[in-house]
């Protein structure tokens, strides 16, 4: 799914990242930052280490698009996305099936005892679905 | 994921299904038909029975939007989608973990012997990702 999104993004220039996916809707730039923030959360949630770019949350999750001055270039966002997702991909390859059933880092031990399906597999699945939802929006600006 | 899409769709009237997700792009109506066709394929691929509406492929997979006269009303498409997905949902609940690792119906036994990851779980996952990709597009026409 990451490759699929990267293929869509690679057909857009850095200038084209400034396009809105539909009139008045988010720019591709903002969506890329938003997805990078969620992948960065996932990295931590899967137990693969500390977040690399937690400052993305303020910019791309809490705030809406165009409510702030762009702090990163499109190329910088692409670089962060690639760095985070390659860490996740190699981390996942080293995980055993049993690891996927462990608690993810955003659930407390108490809550996990009550809801054991809130495991690493579930958070991987949910984050991937969220990524695809936005990938479909980005694809609208790609010329076919 | 199905509930998530149905929540998005339920906020649109049948008339609003005629909206394009972005200027010159597919109508929500077409995307709904397209997703219904893929869920109908999934039903069969998961070994849950014969397809219910195979004629959807011609209309919503082979052909592009607006290249043909609409044959079904939006309400009819919603009904088919609900019928197919509720069959899939109850079918999945009755499947064992081992069932998910079985060959899906669109892969030959020979190909499956070579590529055992082309199992029912993979086709469920891929179809769900595809659904979310289009759900994100439909969400663009929902007033927030």
């Amino acid at each position: 799914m990451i490759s699929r999104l990267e293929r869509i993004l690679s057909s857009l220039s850095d200038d084209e990242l400034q396009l809105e996916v539909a009139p008045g809707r988010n720019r591709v730039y903002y969506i890329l930052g938003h997805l990078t923030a969620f992948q960065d959360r996932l990295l931590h949630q899967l137990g693969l280490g500390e977040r690399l770019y937690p400052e993305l949350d303020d910019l791309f999750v809490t705030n809406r698009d165009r409510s702030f001055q762009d702090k990163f270039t499109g190329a910088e966002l692409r670089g962060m996305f690639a760095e985070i997702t390659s860490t996740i991909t190699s981390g996942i390859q080293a995980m055993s099936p049993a690891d996927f059933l462990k608690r993810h880092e955003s659930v407390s031990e108490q809550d996990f005892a009550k809801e054991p399906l809130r495991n690493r597999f579930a958070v991987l699945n949910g984050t991937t679905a969220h990524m695809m939802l936005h990938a479909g929006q980005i694809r609208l600006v790609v010329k076919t």
Side-chain angles (χ1 to χ4, degrees), chain A:
Chain A
M1 303 300 167
I2 287 168
S3 309
R4 199 163 164 181
L5 174 60
E6 288 189 323
R7 211 156 47 236
I8 295 170
L9 286 170
S10 69
S11 64
L12 298 172
S13 68
D14 287 349
D15 282 350
E16 286 171 327
L17 295 182
Q18 295 300 321
L19 293 169
E20 294 174 336
V21 297
R25 294 297 185 151
N26 292 327
R27 290 172 299 162
V28 176
Y29 171 89
Y30 178 85
I31 294 175
L32 174 56
H34 182 70
L35 294 178
T36 307
F38 273 87
Q39 290 293 323
D40 198 51
R41 288 181 178 186
L42 179 63
L43 174 78
H44 176 64
Q45 288 168 319
L46 290 176
L48 300 173
E50 289 306 310
R51 292 190 56 173
L52 299 177
Y53 302 104
E55 69 269 31
L56 293 175
D57 278 17
D58 248 13
L59 298 172
F60 296 109
V61 184
T62 313
N63 288 309
R64 294 185 151 242
D65 192 15
R66 287 158 296 211
S67 66
F68 56 91
Q69 188 102 40
D70 292 340
K71 192 177 156 185
F72 298 107
T73 65
E76 283 169 336
L77 289 181
R78 288 185 202 261
M80 291 180 215
F81 184 82
E83 177 188 2
I84 295 164
T85 55
S86 82
T87 307
I88 291 173
T89 304
S90 51
I92 283 175
Q93 281 163 352
M95 281 167 71
S96 70
D99 286 337
F100 281 99
L101 300 179
K102 288 182 186 159
R103 178 175 71 86
H104 73 69
E105 303 286 338
S106 306
V107 186
S108 71
E109 296 203 23
Q110 293 87 326
D111 287 348
F112 186 61
K114 277 177 257 165
E115 298 175 88
L117 291 180
R118 297 178 69 180
N119 55 33
R120 292 178 185 180
F121 179 73
V123 80
L124 173 63
N125 227 0
T127 302
T128 304
H130 171 256
M131 184 175 75
M132 294 315 283
L133 190 137
H134 288 296
Q137 298 175 335
I138 295 175
R139 212 176 61 171
L140 293 172
V141 304
V142 176
K143 289 171 202 77
T144 47

